[in-house]
Amino acid sequence: MAPGKDPNRRVKTTDTVLEILATLQSMNGATLVELTDELEFAKSTIHSHLTTLESSKYVVKNDGMYELSLKFLDHGMFVKNERAISRLGGAILENLAAETGEVAWLIVEEHGEAVYLDKAMGENAVQTHARVGGRAHLHHLATGKLILAYLPDERVEEIITRYGLPELTPNTITDPDELRAELDQIRDDGIAFNDKETVTGLRAIGAPVLGEDTIHGAICVSGPANRLTVDRCHDEIKPLLLEATNELELKLQYPLN
């Protein structure tokens, strides 16, 4: 490496643009004045970036309100469809949701976070805050714990150190030793539960999508805890879930030409 070169050096201008975009999303659109009040940048700096983003078609402006444009949809759909697990998993999720009547999720890991890659809604499915494209901590999700269970120990430690184990409900695991013990159990069982750890009153059961010496992602079925009882999870949902993940594993291993 050349002297003085930092491989982790961040570009301030890029950080500014990304913060503006993230704020526009979190505020569901904003005026220049609202952005100036929200961000610690000069009004002229924000306006210059917004003008550039608008001319590049990444932002639209209507009656003084700036919003993210549909150009991000193009990027998002491209990335989603480039993932083989997403292309091959859609029909499998639909079948699982239809068979269980609940919501089925396909989740992968990126940068130490869970990414909601795809979902299918059964006839009795309950919608929560989760959305396709959204991100979450791994430790409180059935799918997230599965991913952690099959990652190398040093990677798990990196993720815990970087993101911590924040509490979402009284049932969320926040102790690293307790989490490690559950990850050991998950490897033995081949399934994982989210027992009201993300949302009070919501339970999920998940299974991993495994490859040779790797985990591609995980699938779960979630629903109201009084309907998705532990007995129902084991007796009805688990066999369907394992069938779905096994089918997806085979499709990933032997893709059609």
Side-chain angles (χ1 to χ4, degrees):
M1 184 189 304
K5 295 291 185 179
D6 181 359
N8 298 314
R9 179 177 176 270
R10 298 180 67 90
V11 179
K12 186 175 180 181
T13 302
T14 304
D15 277 340
T16 301
V17 171
L18 293 174
E19 189 169 349
I20 289 171
L21 292 173
T23 304
L24 280 176
Q25 178 171 331
S26 67
M27 296 179 69
N28 196 24
T31 65
L32 177 59
V33 172
E34 289 170 337
L35 283 172
T36 303
D37 290 340
E38 187 73 17
L39 297 170
E40 296 181 356
F41 305 126
K43 183 177 181 180
S44 59
T45 298
I46 297 173
H47 183 261
S48 295
H49 285 303
L50 287 172
T51 300
T52 301
L53 288 165
E54 185 183 11
S55 65
S56 300
K57 303 179 183 177
Y58 284 98
V59 163
V60 293
K61 181 183 179 184
N62 292 309
D63 297 326
M65 179 75 70
Y66 293 92
E67 298 174 333
L68 301 186
S69 82
L70 292 173
K71 193 165 185 177
F72 287 100
L73 178 62
D74 181 36
H75 293 311
M77 293 303 296
F78 171 81
V79 173
K80 179 176 181 291
N81 292 330
E82 278 294 293
R83 292 282 189 120
I85 194 172
S86 177
R87 295 195 309 273
L88 299 172
I92 294 172
L93 276 191
E94 292 288 347
N95 289 338
L96 184 60
E99 289 175 318
T100 62
E102 309 291 351
V103 60
W105 283 100
L106 172 61
I107 290 177
V108 297
E109 177 265 333
E110 185 179 77
H111 293 299
E113 296 177 302
V115 180
Y116 295 88
L117 191 61
D118 204 357
K119 76 171 181 178
M121 304 285 281
E123 62 179 352
N124 299 317
V126 173
Q127 179 64 52
T128 65
H129 66 281
R131 58 180 175 79
V132 173
R135 305 175 84 92
H137 288 79
L138 292 164
H139 71 287
H140 59 85
L141 301 173
T143 47
K145 286 186 281 187
L146 283 158
I147 289 169
L148 288 172
Y150 289 94
L151 286 177
D153 290 342
E154 60 271 19
R155 179 66 177 135
V156 174
E157 295 307 314
E158 288 174 5
I159 291 170
I160 292 174
T161 299
R162 179 176 181 182
Y163 295 107
L165 303 173
E167 180 179 305
L168 278 73
T169 77
N171 284 10
T172 307
I173 295 175
T174 58
D175 179 75
D177 290 335
E178 184 181 349
L179 177 62
R180 293 185 193 100
E182 180 156 346
L183 298 183
D184 289 339
Q185 189 64 51
I186 287 169
R187 283 189 291 272
D188 290 339
D189 296 341
I191 59 168
F193 284 91
N194 171 356
D195 194 7
K196 297 170 280 188
E197 297 166 55
T198 303
V199 176
T200 301
L202 193 76
R203 179 176 286 120
I205 176 174
V209 180
L210 299 173
E212 186 175 353
D213 300 322
T214 189
I215 178 166
H216 298 295
I219 292 175
C220 75
V221 172
S222 67
N226 64 349
R227 190 166 70 214
L228 212 64
T229 62
V230 173
D231 285 344
R232 184 187 175 208
C233 284
H234 279 289
D235 297 340
E236 176 190 341
I237 308 297
K238 179 181 175 181
L240 296 172
L241 190 57
L242 293 177
E243 180 182 342
T245 53
N246 182 230
E247 181 182 354
L248 185 49
E249 287 169 349
L250 290 171
K251 286 187 173 182
L252 287 167
Q253 186 175 359
Y254 303 106
L256 295 175
N257 293 327

